[in-house]
Amino acid sequence: FCKLYMTTSEQCLKTTLERLEADSKLRRQQFGSHMEGSPERGPSPAPKPSPRVIRKNDQETFSSKGDTSHALLSTTRKFKTSVSFTMTMSANSNQDSTLTEPNLKDWQCAQSKGCFFLEEDGEVVSHQYKMHIAQRSVLYLTIKPLYLSQVEGKRCPWLSVDTALYILKKNENPAEPQLMCFTELRNREVFGWTGELEAGIYWLIPSTTGCRLKKETKPVTEEAQLVHRDETGELSLTSEFRSTLSEIFEVIDLDGNGLISLEEYNFFELRTSGEKCDEDAWAVCRENFDTKKNELTRQGFMDLHLMEANDREGDPLDLWVTLHSMGYNKALELTEACPFVINIYAERCKPRIKVVHMEACSGQLEKAICKSVLDRSDAKVMDGYENIIVHTCNYDTWITSIIENKSDNKVIIHINNELSKNCVNNRGLNIFAVEVAPRSTMVCQHVMPLNEQEEWIYCCVYSLVA
């Protein structure tokens, strides 16, 4: 009876999962959301109640995603009109716009690290910054993936992720900062911009297209061991886990001084547990773990996690919550995050940069991307529907398209990329649809070459659904 009961239960679960998967695939095929999550990770674990230090609740929240549509297209699609774009891009086409570094002798520099984190729904969260320029000056800004010292043979998938930095000027209306520039030029993995900016305060918003930072679909067959006990029964961290914690330390050490401040630690806590550590709890942390200049050392960071493992009597569940939150898979590979480093050089003054938020890359970023495309795009109007305009912009390294809806009604646009060659887009699908709200502009898709060493052809048909 028990055997029959378990067999029936497993079969019911399998059937339910198959139905959910089929329904998910149907929705994606018909309405073009992001790729489904990695089969190895399943649902996101709830934020862990951390045993490290006492905390108070934090009131900060993350921005919610806005562009995803909530309706399904009918299986029999009828189109009112279509417009198409075709662009043939040569291999290594970015060579024509190679970033040229100016003579930086006697220029002053400011640097900060940060990270893109991939959420379960495919949304990207990242650190965001404030930059202060004391006087009008020529600047050289760069952003690139951060190299972490790796164990030999370990994969480094984030090093191929594209990065960009949008610079917005703070003005009288805080809700509508002015787009000044963005790092569209490239030299290998470095994206940069050179130009003159006036004195003032600027917002720096990092961006990645999502073409290469995607949910991992390849399952990991063997789970890494995080802790073990020695002959005396004492618990210790494995060398593999210590190496990974060392990488995480490098990522959250935003100013690169080799120590973790309370502010830096709180960005880490917000990411992994959703809470902050107050001054009193930080004082307790300093008393129990190795610190220097009121900041946590690398050894102190290791000991903090060893204490967490001991508090759970060796159960690694909470440690895995931390690792997954930071973008690591079960093999301790960084596959769903991309750490980066920003460098700001100024000719006439000392620039200052400060991390102010860690939130979803939407809102102001969406507006900035749309503005950058509108300023220099190839625009095509839908035949017979002059209020529906598709803008496509070629940045050599990638292609971005946005849809502008000037009408008073929402519209559904069907996008077909099937004729494109050697291309990958941020939606993860060749065919999808988007809903565009009345009198609005939205990013439709970003497209990059799958293999940069080969020619790539962007061929896309945009159709207005009846």
Side-chain angles (χ1 to χ4, degrees):
F1 173 79
C2 291
K3 184 177 180 181
L4 179 61
Y5 176 84
M6 294 303 295
T7 303
T8 305
S9 175
E10 289 172 4
Q11 185 59 47
C12 288
L13 178 61
K14 184 179 178 182
T15 303
T16 303
L17 289 173
E18 286 174 353
R19 286 177 181 172
L20 287 172
E21 185 179 3
D23 183 55
S24 173
K25 286 181 179 176
L26 179 63
R27 284 201 305 273
R28 296 202 318 279
Q29 185 179 13
Q30 294 184 336
F31 225 92
S33 59
H34 292 272
M35 293 178 69
E36 64 187 47
S38 165
E40 72 166 277
R41 286 182 57 172
S44 288
K48 58 178 178 179
S50 176
R52 305 170 189 155
V53 286
I54 302 168
R55 297 181 180 82
K56 62 180 181 181
N57 288 334
D58 181 70
Q59 301 300 316
E60 294 185 19
T61 56
F62 294 107
S63 302
S64 58
K65 192 173 179 180
D67 296 334
T68 344
S69 215
H70 48 77
L72 290 177
L73 296 177
S74 60
T75 48
T76 306
R77 301 185 180 98
K78 295 181 180 179
F79 303 136
K80 295 180 180 180
T81 184
S82 295
V83 63
S84 64
F85 291 82
T86 301
M87 298 179 187
T88 301
M89 313 292 290
S90 61
N92 293 319
S93 58
N94 60 293
Q95 288 182 349
D96 295 334
S97 59
T98 297
L99 177 66
T100 303
E101 182 179 298
N103 183 0
L104 299 176
K105 185 180 179 181
D106 299 326
W107 289 37
Q108 299 189 70
C109 178
Q111 183 186 90
S112 182
K113 289 184 279 189
C115 194
F116 296 112
F117 297 105
L118 199 58
E119 300 284 61
E120 287 296 330
D121 61 357
E123 189 174 49
V124 176
V125 168
S126 84
H127 297 84
Q128 298 183 12
Y129 307 80
K130 218 182 246 187
M131 176 178 72
H132 181 256
I133 303 297
Q135 66 181 88
R136 187 181 185 92
S137 178
V138 176
L139 297 180
Y140 175 60
L141 293 91
T142 65
I143 181 172
K144 66 176 182 178
L146 175 67
Y147 178 80
L148 301 171
S149 51
Q150 288 286 299
V151 176
E152 188 175 349
K154 193 173 181 181
R155 288 199 303 144
C156 313
W158 75 92
L159 291 178
S160 64
V161 171
D162 59 283
T163 59
L165 192 63
Y166 286 79
I167 295 89
L168 287 71
K169 177 71 182 294
K170 189 176 181 180
N171 53 32
E172 295 176 358
N173 182 1
E176 295 294 334
Q178 177 188 1
L179 174 65
M180 305 302 296
C181 55
F182 72 102
T183 55
E184 61 179 297
L185 300 181
R186 177 185 175 190
N187 183 4
R188 297 184 180 178
E189 75 280 3
V190 180
F191 287 79
W193 174 85
T194 304
E196 194 170 55
L197 290 179
E198 296 178 350
I201 296 175
Y202 297 83
W203 298 105
L204 303 184
I205 306 181
S207 171
T208 183
T209 62
C211 294
R212 292 176 179 167
L213 182 59
K214 292 186 174 184
K215 300 299 293 180
E216 189 178 35
T217 56
K218 182 181 177 182
V220 176
T221 55
E222 189 173 345
E223 180 177 313
Q225 187 178 358
L226 305 185
V227 296
H228 64 85
R229 293 189 182 275
D230 59 21
E231 299 80 7
T232 64
E234 286 291 318
L235 202 66
S236 61
L237 308 180
T238 64
S239 59
E240 294 84 1
F241 185 37
R242 290 181 64 85
S243 175
T244 300
L245 285 177
S246 185
E247 290 179 2
I248 292 174
F249 186 91
E250 290 293 329
V251 172
I252 65 178
D253 175 20
L254 301 176
D255 61 10
N257 71 344
L259 300 167
I260 302 297
S261 67
L262 174 57
E263 185 178 26
E264 291 169 332
Y265 182 76
N266 274 335
F267 281 115
F268 168 69
E269 278 295 292
L270 283 172
R271 178 64 197 164
T272 57
S273 71
E275 297 180 343
K276 273 188 174 181
C277 171
D278 60 24
E279 291 285 353
D280 292 339
W282 187 245
V284 174
C285 186
R286 293 200 316 269
E287 289 173 9
N288 289 276
F289 304 105
D290 187 42
T291 58
K292 184 179 180 182
K293 300 177 182 177
N294 200 31
E295 296 185 333
L296 195 63
T297 66
R298 192 182 302 261
Q299 185 58 50
F301 187 68
M302 300 282 181
D303 292 340
L304 186 66
H305 286 83
L306 178 58
M307 184 202 74
E308 184 171 350
N310 274 302
D311 284 349
R312 296 291 180 177
E313 297 182 347
D315 184 349
L317 181 61
D318 284 348
L319 299 176
W320 278 118
V321 171
T322 296
L323 290 167
H324 288 327
S325 299
M326 295 299 292
Y328 286 86
N329 65 14
K330 291 288 187 179
L332 298 182
E333 296 171 325
L334 186 59
T335 55
E336 295 187 2
C338 173
F340 56 79
V341 59
I342 295 170
N343 283 289
I344 304 167
Y345 298 88
E347 186 179 26
R348 298 176 186 170
C349 62
K350 173 69 175 177
R352 296 205 306 267
I353 182 173
K354 179 178 176 63
V355 185
V356 289
H357 301 296
M358 185 171 66
E359 57 187 35
C361 296
S362 55
Q364 292 296 349
L365 177 59
E366 174 95 359
K367 293 178 183 178
I369 293 173
C370 288
K371 179 70 167 63
S372 68
V373 172
L374 288 171
D375 285 346
R376 52 183 286 183
S377 71
D378 176 11
K380 290 187 179 181
V381 177
M382 289 280 190
D383 247 356
Y385 296 85
E386 66 277 358
N387 287 328
I388 312 299
I389 308 166
V390 179
H391 301 263
T392 299
C393 191
N394 167 23
Y395 295 108
D396 292 333
T397 303
W398 77 94
I399 292 170
T400 296
S401 74
I402 68 170
I403 300 174
E404 185 178 10
N405 178 14
K406 294 183 177 181
S407 73
D408 293 323
N409 303 305
K410 72 177 181 182
V411 296
I412 294 175
I413 307 296
H414 180 268
I415 295 96
N416 189 327
N417 292 301
E418 285 188 311
L419 295 179
S420 294
K421 303 292 183 185
N422 188 30
C423 288
V424 59
N425 67 60
N426 64 305
R427 299 276 178 171
L429 296 165
N430 283 329
I431 300 175
F432 58 94
V434 293
E435 184 180 283
V436 190
R439 301 203 169 275
S440 70
T441 305
M442 68 168 286
V443 176
C444 176
Q445 66 176 341
H446 303 287
V447 181
M448 295 187 75
L450 192 60
N451 182 350
E452 292 192 352
Q453 308 307 314
E454 297 176 3
E455 177 185 80
W456 52 296
I457 300 173
Y458 169 74
C459 183
C460 185
V461 179
Y462 298 80
S463 304
L464 180 62
V465 177

